[in-house]
Amino acid sequence: MAGAAPQHDYHLVNPSIWPLIGAFTALAMAVGGIMWMHDMAYGGLIFFAGLIGVLFTMFSWWVDVIREANSGDHTPVVQLHLRYGMILFIASEVMFFVGWFWAFFNGALFPAEVIGGTWPPEGIEVLDPFTYPLLNTLILLCSGTTVTWAHHSLLNGDREGFKAGLWLTIILGIVFSAIQAYEYGHAAFDFSGNIYGATFYMATGFHGFHVIIGTIFLAVCLLRAYRGDFTPKQHFGFEAAAWYWHFVDVVWLFLFVAVYVWGGAGAEIH
């Protein structure tokens, strides 16, 4: 019967225009990027138009998902499957970083003759890991505790503690990004011209990008917290953000130990 309540715990989504718009704007962004790299006319304009379209699609689509969650469509079964999806997404991100670690270790353990058979290559003045990198490590570790505090506050119904934990985590994320930008600006080696710089900036740079994304993710959760969206029993949006932030923390610990400390120790491997 039309209008009757569903007799199951699953959420059958309504028809949406966003997948179609997202596909066309992503195509425009890709084509524009290719044209821009080949110095073709209007390539940059098409790329940025597509990028704006993709960002608008993401925003609008997520607004619809939040509206569905607030209206009760995200039943316990739906939330469980959303958790499965987030776990698979983080697993794919792990493999993404495995590729950059692989590239770095390949250069460090098997330095080719073209770079003198040593790692780091001759002439590379590496960063001191026990200055700004160590400070950023402490900052991210502290941010992991503040986001956990926010989570436990939410579970116990303490909304003020929840907001305070989110505020602190976001501030720490911004400070981390600022310090990393300062570090990049004062590094003695460039991205191009040597494998050390290429693998260093790709691994740490993509991690920095993930920190920025995680900070935005948590900022959206903070906005929703002030709207009163989350409850102790239904807060998957924040839970996903917290998982993502802990993932960023763990990746940085591996980067600090492997890339900054071990990779820049000057060990010569022939």
Side-chain angles (χ1 to χ4, degrees):
M1 183 169 57
Q7 301 300 312
H8 54 78
D9 292 328
Y10 295 90
H11 175 216
L12 304 180
V13 297
N14 295 322
S16 175
I17 192 65
W18 301 124
L20 180 63
I21 294 177
F24 279 109
T25 54
L27 175 64
M29 187 172 69
V31 172
I34 294 171
M35 294 173 62
W36 192 9
M37 287 185 286
H38 287 80
D39 296 322
M40 299 175 66
Y42 305 109
L45 181 63
I46 295 173
F47 171 81
F48 284 109
L51 176 62
I52 292 172
V54 168
L55 294 175
F56 177 74
T57 301
M58 294 167 63
F59 174 81
S60 303
W61 202 341
W62 283 331
V63 166
D64 288 347
V65 173
I66 291 172
R67 188 179 297 116
E68 292 166 358
N70 293 338
S71 64
D73 289 329
H74 290 180
T75 64
V77 171
V78 174
Q79 292 183 52
L80 176 63
H81 293 164
L82 289 172
R83 287 182 173 86
Y84 288 157
M86 191 64 190
I87 290 171
L88 290 174
F89 169 70
I90 291 177
S92 71
E93 291 283 88
V94 169
M95 300 310 299
F96 175 81
F97 278 101
V98 164
W100 299 120
F101 277 106
W102 190 302
F104 186 85
F105 280 116
N106 184 68
L109 294 174
F110 308 102
E113 291 301 324
V114 292
I115 63 172
T118 63
W119 189 267
E122 293 290 340
I124 296 294
E125 183 181 345
V126 301
L127 296 167
D128 184 355
F130 301 108
T131 53
Y132 291 115
L134 178 60
L135 176 60
N136 263 350
T137 301
L138 297 176
I139 288 172
L140 272 192
L141 289 175
C142 289
S143 72
T145 62
T146 54
V147 77
T148 302
W149 172 37
H151 194 187
H152 282 280
S153 297
L154 177 60
L155 292 176
N156 292 310
D158 179 9
R159 297 197 66 83
E160 293 306 313
F162 174 49
K163 295 173 187 176
L166 276 175
W167 269 114
L168 287 174
T169 308
I170 292 168
I171 292 171
L172 289 171
I174 294 172
V175 171
F176 176 94
S177 298
I179 292 175
Q180 189 172 45
Y182 179 85
E183 178 187 74
Y184 281 3
H186 292 77
F189 54 90
D190 297 325
F191 175 87
S192 60
N194 64 88
I195 188 173
Y196 180 86
T199 53
F200 173 88
Y201 283 115
M202 290 301 288
T204 61
F206 267 115
H207 175 269
F209 175 72
H210 280 71
V211 170
I212 294 172
I213 295 298
T215 304
I216 296 172
F217 201 171
L218 291 170
V220 172
C221 290
L222 179 63
L223 177 62
R224 294 185 62 192
Y226 277 99
R227 292 179 51 187
D229 283 356
F230 298 117
T231 67
K233 291 187 177 180
Q234 188 164 9
H235 54 271
F236 172 74
F238 166 69
E239 192 173 6
W243 288 359
Y244 187 85
W245 195 256
H246 287 308
F247 158 74
V248 168
D249 287 351
V250 172
V251 170
W252 176 258
L253 291 177
F254 280 100
L255 283 172
F256 177 71
V257 173
V259 175
Y260 283 96
V261 179
W262 179 82
E268 298 186 359
I269 304 174
H270 298 271

